[in-house]
Amino acid sequence: MTTITGEMLIGYRSRRGTGPSLVAFNPTTGVEISEPSFGSGTTDDVNEACALANDAFDRYRALSLDTRAMFLERIADGLLGVGDALIQRAHEESGLPKARLEDERGRTIGQLKLFAQVVRSGQWLDATLDSPLPDRKPLPRSDLRMQKIPLGPVAVFGASNFPLAFSVAGGDTASALAAGCPVVVKAHQAHLGTSELVGRVIQKVAREMELPEGVFSLVLGAGNSVGQSLVSHPAIKAVGFTGSQAGGTALMRVAAARLEPIPVYAEMSSINPVFLLPSALAQRNESIARGFVDSLVLGAGQFCTNPGLVIAVAGEDLTRFIDAAKEAITAKPAQTMLTAGIHNAYQEGEKRLADTVGVQLEARGVTPTGATQAQAALFVTSAETLLTNHALEDEVFGPLSTVVSCKEEAQMLEVASHLAGQLTATLQYDAEDCMLARQLVSQLERKVGRILVNGFPTGVEVSHAMVHGGPFPATSDSRTTSVGTAAIDRFLRPVCYQDFPAELLPAAIADGNPLDIWRSIDGELTRY
Amino acid sequence: MTTITGEMLIGYRSRRGTGPSLVAFNPTTGVEISEPSFGSGTTDDVNEACALANDAFDRYRALSLDTRAMFLERIADGLLGVGDALIQRAHEESGLPKARLEDERGRTIGQLKLFAQVVRSGQWLDATLDSPLPDRKPLPRSDLRMQKIPLGPVAVFGASNFPLAFSVAGGDTASALAAGCPVVVKAHQAHLGTSELVGRVIQKVAREMELPEGVFSLVLGAGNSVGQSLVSHPAIKAVGFTGSQAGGTALMRVAAARLEPIPVYAEMSSINPVFLLPSALAQRNESIARGFVDSLVLGAGQFCTNPGLVIAVAGEDLTRFIDAAKEAITAKPAQTMLTAGIHNAYQEGEKRLADTVGVQLEARGVTPTGATQAQAALFVTSAETLLTNHALEDEVFGPLSTVVSCKEEAQMLEVASHLAGQLTATLQYDAEDCMLARQLVSQLERKVGRILVNGFPTGVEVSHAMVHGGPFPATSDSRTTSVGTAAIDRFLRPVCYQDFPAELLPAAIADGNPLDIWRSIDGELTRY
């Protein structure tokens, strides 16, 4: 189980791709992990994986909810079964500390098990029944019943920054499998070995449970062509992606250009503004500054929810906040980034900001000692500069943030209304700030997926009420979330069954409620 | 209230557009309705309507659910208040019989009132609360609460074939207003006067209720530029459209090319296959044939759910079915179509089919006496021909259908799996057909939004379980419905509120459940 071969997993087979070889890379040492190399796939491999997924779909979605839930639970158990080999490999490939990866494995397992509960609850089926009205005038009403069914095979592109929780067996895969969709994953090049280890767990569980072959495949690709073939394939009915705005919008274009356009759920780009309200800033400015810097440098700043913008009214309190943040940041050690490419982009982004008129560098973290280490950075600018220079809102992925000083409270509102879509916004708030906070919340609701009060945006709970989403460019589809149980809704669509005889009705909407789920009958939620 | 001026309705003002003049047309007489002419709008008008909608959005969505519901109810009452003038004008502009339009008005009013109930129920808010876990290890869990909020201003393009129920105050407008979204309607050129009459009702109610100006506007356009400006406007956050595949896909492209792409809900094209299962065909072939032909010619065949394809196994039973259908169709009078353009397209579609190798014309209805009257038509072809000629699946909007004869039951399944996305599929079924029906249902679930047993697809109930949707090209987004209460979900997105103090929490997710709605607390539905 812990041997890494460099093969792809197509249904129940393992096969070395005949495309260009890929090698894993250790960002901490800067050295290739030369054995094994990974054989990238071709369009033929994609076609085969997609054809298997298509064949598997009807049988997979027809399994009992309990079987589907057990599949997720056994994947979770299997991940734990790989033991330290998984953590070790993920650490080598990502540079992320082992303790963090152990937490991430816990989150991944918890996520799979939570989706198993969701599957069993059957609430996602949205079972809805309208009673027939045979005597209605002028026309009788038919017997109408609705349930949600899965969309079909889903393509998943893992995230660089979560090699476990948002990769091969991560949130997109878990929610798609929970919905009843077969999954074809394209492994992220930054953690090829980790991907294989996790993929083999899923493949093994599927085979042991005798699930239809093709419910899961893992393909490898050098460059973009394998990913584009995957998104273009007629059998694929939705796409889950976490990554850059350039990557996400490229997939959106491919999906929109298909003969049958399909939904793309791309989680892309966010700078997660933090608003320091006047009373909170006056009362707690140093403690907020320390909390902010801790959030900023967590995981080398490589979180989608990293606080990249801080907005407050200029004055003595903001000066004290900046001084405290400078002091905190100056002491923060440099940290290894996930890949050399991400590190280069970070350095370029930092340089671009430093070279921008009206933007001042305030502080840097400890000088790096490794080639791919990120040095934290804090910049300051004015609201006028931000409002006239859209480039300042571009995400710089890494431990970098810009403090925006406003002339007055009204300008904080102006900044809020000016921002593009974000995953999160945060208010540092005291009760005296209530009036301003209400106005800000009203603005921010239109811009973000999650609003926090007196917290920091890093740390995304996997739960029922979580929204990890938001208007473009934070994501490609603000109507959904990629974290939390509501993520299952992304892969479902409603079907109505009119005047079906009992012998043809799906169990979810059959008489007598055989699945024992919540159903809406004539507009009222019931358990009958 | 019953005077038609030819003006646009921009917020609370009425203004004649300065673009090219448009005239209404009576398809029954073939004569223009020259007074008044309608002044089409410009991009400036669109910009003004959208800016007002944007300004109105926060105030409109902040209104109580009861006020929002009353808005819908008073629009319904207002439509009835226009009296026969509305029916008369819609009849003149559409050629549809008055009795049908009275029914359609009833449906439109019922739809608005049903959405008022939906608004008050608050279930669409999807209120979801996760309790904080302050003692959890390794990290505490925050207080997380989620509700759905409206997307923002919505652009609505009415349908030619439902001048009331799917136009200015139709399903898209009702569901968007119910969701809390201001609406900018582009009037359909085929019923300009009807649009103005209905638009003035909405405008009057909004003003009387002192709703924020811009919650509703009605613009007119010659050609496509006004519609494209509307979909391109940054304030518009979603689009509702019912019409042709060419029109819908054009709007999809405009929406995808925006700086911020937005969802388009386009209901476009469907040929609504009817499967005649062997036992049902043997037992009831003549009565099925009569029911089929009645459904086919209803409203001159101008329904999205018109049964344009009939699939059965060849043999004596199918021959009897075809004979009975021929007899029924031959007696069906020609009927006036909605517009000269639709009539031309119908004639071209019929000619294209008649000229297709492998397709035979079996019967025509009574010869037309008016220039825009449609003559019903029945064609026959083989499954082999259908499976090799995709053009046979193109919708011909009007009273035309093609019977597809299959060699065996397996070929019926092959046809089902070959079909593109549809709004509906129908099974004519007896209990002896159960095995085949189960296989067909499994195939058809993947293709359609609604499956009927022993009915005909025309007639779409406005209810909770209705799905008027389906995979592309039936619609642009299979995850939704444009008819029924679930249509409200199209215009909503989730927002999560983390660790909010009581004074900032929205009512839907506040402690004590002040709105008295169903809420999910820690994964359990409750009324607390």
Side-chain angles (χ1 to χ4, degrees):
Chain A
M1 202 67 185
T2 59
T3 310
I4 297 169
T5 65
E7 292 169 322
M8 296 185 295
L9 310 175
I10 311 286
Y12 291 145
R13 282 155 299 162
S14 305
R15 167 165 99 205
R16 187 174 177 85
T18 57
S21 281
L22 299 166
V23 262
F25 188 85
N26 182 327
T28 311
T29 61
V31 173
E32 281 182 0
I33 307 169
S34 54
E35 286 302 323
S37 74
F38 294 78
S40 66
T42 63
T43 300
D44 287 346
D45 298 309
V46 170
N47 290 347
E48 194 174 338
C50 292
L52 284 169
N54 190 53
D55 289 347
F57 177 45
D58 280 333
R59 280 170 297 147
Y60 180 58
R61 70 188 179 98
L63 296 174
S64 72
L65 299 188
D66 195 53
T67 303
R68 208 190 284 174
M70 277 173 50
F71 182 32
L72 298 173
E73 287 164 343
R74 289 183 58 177
I75 295 169
D77 294 341
L79 289 178
L80 210 53
V82 184
D84 193 53
L86 181 61
I87 300 299
Q88 179 63 33
R89 180 71 188 198
H91 169 64
E92 287 170 14
E93 290 185 325
S94 69
L96 294 170
K98 287 191 187 181
R100 139 75 198 264
L101 288 163
E102 282 164 5
D103 286 351
E104 191 181 327
R105 179 177 59 187
R107 175 183 165 163
T108 309
I109 289 169
Q111 191 163 255
L112 286 157
K113 293 193 170 174
L114 183 60
F115 275 111
Q117 284 177 35
V118 168
V119 170
R120 285 199 182 90
S121 82
Q123 262 172 252
W124 54 274
L125 287 157
D126 212 358
T128 304
L129 291 77
D130 294 327
S131 304
L133 300 172
D135 301 325
R136 192 183 62 173
K137 303 293 175 201
L139 288 170
R141 182 167 82 180
S142 292
D143 181 308
L144 295 163
R145 306 184 190 211
M146 188 270 276
Q147 67 167 347
K148 294 266 177 87
I149 72 164
L151 285 178
V154 171
V156 170
F157 294 78
S160 63
N161 57 343
F162 281 94
L164 301 173
F166 262 78
S167 188
V168 178
D172 286 337
T173 298
S175 52
L177 291 176
C181 299
V183 169
V184 181
V185 177
K186 178 179 175 288
H188 197 286
Q189 284 194 224
H191 47 263
L192 293 163
T194 308
S195 294
E196 183 182 331
L197 288 173
V198 173
R200 286 195 183 277
V201 168
I202 304 178
Q203 188 189 52
K204 180 161 180 275
V205 172
R207 191 162 37 199
E208 285 174 358
M209 289 182 70
E210 299 182 347
L211 301 186
E213 182 174 8
V215 69
F216 172 79
S217 288
L218 176 69
V219 297
L220 307 177
N224 299 327
S225 73
V226 162
Q228 287 179 359
S229 297
L230 183 55
V231 174
S232 303
H233 196 284
I236 296 295
K237 300 301 183 190
V239 179
F241 168 90
T242 304
S244 69
Q245 189 174 340
T249 52
L251 294 184
M252 289 167 71
R253 281 191 296 273
V254 173
R258 289 166 49 115
L259 209 57
E260 178 195 2
I262 55 172
V264 173
Y265 302 107
E267 193 266 85
M268 300 184 288
S269 167
S270 183
I271 55 171
N272 305 297
V274 177
F275 292 83
L276 310 178
L277 278 70
S279 176
L281 185 62
Q283 300 298 319
R284 302 183 279 115
N285 67 72
E286 292 178 7
S287 76
I288 295 172
R290 285 191 297 271
F292 154 68
V293 171
D294 286 346
S295 173
L296 179 66
V297 302
L298 195 70
Q302 299 166 120
F303 289 107
C304 318
T305 52
N306 197 52
L309 207 63
V310 179
I311 298 112
V313 174
E316 200 179 298
D317 295 328
L318 181 57
T319 304
R320 279 197 295 153
F321 169 87
I322 293 172
D323 287 344
K326 281 164 70 168
E327 189 183 325
I329 241 175
T330 308
K332 291 295 179 189
Q335 295 174 80
T336 300
M337 296 195 88
L338 292 156
T339 70
I342 288 174
H343 180 256
N344 285 343
Y346 176 69
Q347 288 194 307
E348 280 166 21
E350 198 209 346
K351 184 169 186 321
R352 188 167 43 79
L353 268 183
D355 291 346
T356 301
V357 174
V359 178
Q360 292 86 43
L361 176 68
E362 284 289 327
R364 280 209 169 107
V366 173
T367 305
T369 54
T372 58
Q373 284 187 343
Q375 185 177 17
L378 186 70
F379 291 86
V380 171
T381 193
S382 67
E384 284 78 14
T385 304
L386 183 81
L387 291 168
T388 52
N389 187 347
H390 263 287
L392 292 179
E393 288 183 54
D394 292 346
E395 181 183 34
V396 178
F397 193 67
L400 177 156
S401 193
T402 304
V403 178
V404 178
S405 89
C406 299
K407 279 194 261 186
E408 56 200 1
E409 292 181 8
Q411 206 169 37
M412 292 177 73
L413 288 164
E414 198 182 345
V415 168
S417 87
H418 167 86
L419 289 171
Q422 307 287 341
L423 294 170
T424 73
T426 300
L427 307 185
Q428 292 295 336
Y429 166 87
D430 275 3
E432 290 71 28
D433 297 313
C434 187
M435 288 279 287
L436 177 60
R438 285 200 173 129
Q439 295 175 74
L440 272 171
V441 167
S442 178
Q443 284 289 346
L444 293 171
E445 282 177 326
R446 295 173 66 162
K447 302 286 182 171
V448 313
R450 178 167 56 116
I451 309 176
L452 302 87
V453 173
N454 292 339
F456 291 99
T458 46
V460 181
E461 189 70 38
V462 182
S463 70
H464 302 291
M466 176 50 62
V467 179
H468 191 64
F472 188 92
T475 79
S476 56
D477 190 334
S478 73
R479 295 163 293 175
T480 67
T481 174
S482 64
V483 177
T485 57
I488 193 174
D489 297 332
R490 297 177 298 168
F491 302 115
L492 299 169
R493 45 173 281 262
V495 175
C496 174
Y497 303 78
Q498 181 167 332
D499 291 329
F500 263 49
E503 67 271 21
L504 295 182
L505 268 174
I509 48 177
D511 288 341
N513 194 9
L515 297 188
D516 185 25
I517 57 177
W518 281 96
R519 312 201 293 184
S520 163
I521 301 185
D522 297 322
E524 297 293 329
L525 280 171
T526 73
R527 211 50 205 246
Y528 309 117
Chain B
M1 202 66 185
T2 59
T3 310
I4 298 169
T5 64
E7 292 170 321
M8 298 186 294
L9 310 176
I10 311 287
Y12 290 145
R13 281 155 299 159
S14 306
R15 170 164 96 205
R16 189 174 176 85
T18 57
S21 280
L22 300 166
V23 262
F25 188 84
N26 182 327
T28 310
T29 62
V31 173
E32 281 182 359
I33 307 171
S34 54
E35 288 299 325
S37 73
F38 294 78
S40 67
T42 63
T43 300
D44 286 347
D45 299 309
V46 169
N47 290 348
E48 195 175 336
C50 292
L52 283 169
N54 191 53
D55 290 346
F57 177 45
D58 280 333
R59 279 170 297 147
Y60 180 59
R61 72 190 179 94
L63 295 175
S64 72
L65 299 188
D66 194 54
T67 303
R68 210 190 284 175
M70 277 173 51
F71 181 31
L72 298 172
E73 288 164 342
R74 288 183 59 176
I75 295 169
D77 295 341
L79 289 178
L80 211 53
V82 183
D84 193 53
L86 181 62
I87 301 300
Q88 179 62 34
R89 180 72 188 198
H91 168 64
E92 286 170 14
E93 290 185 326
S94 70
L96 294 170
K98 287 191 185 179
R100 139 76 197 263
L101 289 164
E102 280 164 7
D103 286 352
E104 190 182 328
R105 178 177 61 187
R107 175 182 166 165
T108 309
I109 289 170
Q111 189 163 256
L112 286 158
K113 293 193 170 175
L114 183 59
F115 274 111
Q117 283 177 36
V118 168
V119 170
R120 284 199 182 91
S121 82
Q123 262 171 254
W124 55 274
L125 287 157
D126 212 357
T128 304
L129 291 78
D130 294 327
S131 303
L133 300 172
D135 301 325
R136 192 183 62 174
K137 304 293 173 197
L139 289 170
R141 181 167 84 179
S142 293
D143 181 309
L144 294 162
R145 308 185 189 210
M146 187 270 276
Q147 67 167 349
K148 295 268 178 84
I149 71 164
L151 285 178
V154 171
V156 170
F157 293 78
S160 62
N161 58 342
F162 282 93
L164 300 173
F166 262 77
S167 188
V168 178
D172 286 337
T173 298
S175 53
L177 291 176
C181 299
V183 168
V184 181
V185 177
K186 178 177 174 289
H188 197 288
Q189 283 193 224
H191 46 263
L192 294 164
T194 307
S195 294
E196 183 181 331
L197 289 174
V198 173
R200 285 194 185 277
V201 167
I202 305 177
Q203 187 189 51
K204 180 161 179 274
V205 171
R207 191 161 38 197
E208 284 173 359
M209 290 181 69
E210 298 182 348
L211 301 185
E213 181 174 9
V215 69
F216 171 79
S217 288
L218 176 69
V219 296
L220 307 179
N224 298 327
S225 73
V226 162
Q228 288 180 358
S229 297
L230 183 55
V231 174
S232 303
H233 195 284
I236 295 296
K237 300 301 182 191
V239 179
F241 168 89
T242 304
S244 69
Q245 190 173 341
T249 52
L251 293 184
M252 289 167 72
R253 282 191 295 272
V254 173
R258 289 166 50 115
L259 209 58
E260 177 194 3
I262 54 171
V264 173
Y265 302 108
E267 193 266 85
M268 299 183 289
S269 168
S270 184
I271 56 171
N272 305 296
V274 177
F275 293 83
L276 310 179
L277 278 71
S279 176
L281 184 62
Q283 299 300 318
R284 302 183 279 116
N285 67 73
E286 291 178 7
S287 76
I288 296 171
R290 285 190 297 272
F292 155 67
V293 171
D294 286 345
S295 174
L296 179 65
V297 302
L298 195 69
Q302 299 167 118
F303 289 107
C304 319
T305 54
N306 197 52
L309 207 64
V310 178
I311 298 110
V313 174
E316 200 179 300
D317 295 329
L318 181 57
T319 304
R320 280 197 294 151
F321 170 86
I322 293 172
D323 288 344
K326 281 164 70 170
E327 188 183 326
I329 237 174
T330 308
K332 290 294 179 190
Q335 295 173 81
T336 301
M337 297 197 87
L338 292 156
T339 69
I342 288 174
H343 180 257
N344 285 342
Y346 176 69
Q347 287 193 307
E348 281 166 20
E350 198 209 346
K351 183 169 186 323
R352 187 166 45 76
L353 268 181
D355 292 346
T356 302
V357 175
V359 178
Q360 293 85 43
L361 176 68
E362 284 290 327
R364 280 212 168 106
V366 173
T367 306
T369 53
T372 58
Q373 284 187 343
Q375 186 176 16
L378 186 71
F379 292 86
V380 172
T381 192
S382 67
E384 285 77 16
T385 305
L386 183 81
L387 292 167
T388 52
N389 187 347
H390 264 288
L392 292 179
E393 289 182 54
D394 291 346
E395 181 183 33
V396 178
F397 193 66
L400 178 156
S401 192
T402 304
V403 178
V404 179
S405 89
C406 299
K407 279 194 264 186
E408 56 199 1
E409 293 182 7
Q411 207 169 35
M412 291 179 72
L413 288 163
E414 200 183 343
V415 169
S417 87
H418 167 86
L419 288 171
Q422 306 288 341
L423 293 171
T424 72
T426 300
L427 307 185
Q428 292 295 336
Y429 166 86
D430 275 3
E432 290 70 27
D433 298 313
C434 187
M435 288 280 286
L436 177 59
R438 284 198 173 132
Q439 295 174 74
L440 272 171
V441 167
S442 178
Q443 284 290 346
L444 293 171
E445 282 178 325
R446 295 172 67 162
K447 302 287 183 172
V448 313
R450 178 166 57 117
I451 308 176
L452 301 86
V453 173
N454 292 340
F456 290 99
T458 46
V460 181
E461 189 71 36
V462 182
S463 70
H464 302 292
M466 175 50 63
V467 179
H468 190 65
F472 188 90
T475 77
S476 55
D477 191 335
S478 73
R479 296 164 291 175
T480 67
T481 174
S482 65
V483 177
T485 58
I488 193 173
D489 297 332
R490 298 178 297 169
F491 302 116
L492 299 168
R493 46 173 278 263
V495 175
C496 174
Y497 303 78
Q498 181 167 331
D499 291 330
F500 263 49
E503 68 271 20
L504 294 182
L505 268 174
I509 49 177
D511 288 341
N513 194 10
L515 297 188
D516 185 25
I517 58 177
W518 281 98
R519 313 200 294 184
S520 163
I521 301 184
D522 296 322
E524 296 294 329
L525 280 171
T526 71
R527 209 52 206 243
Y528 309 118

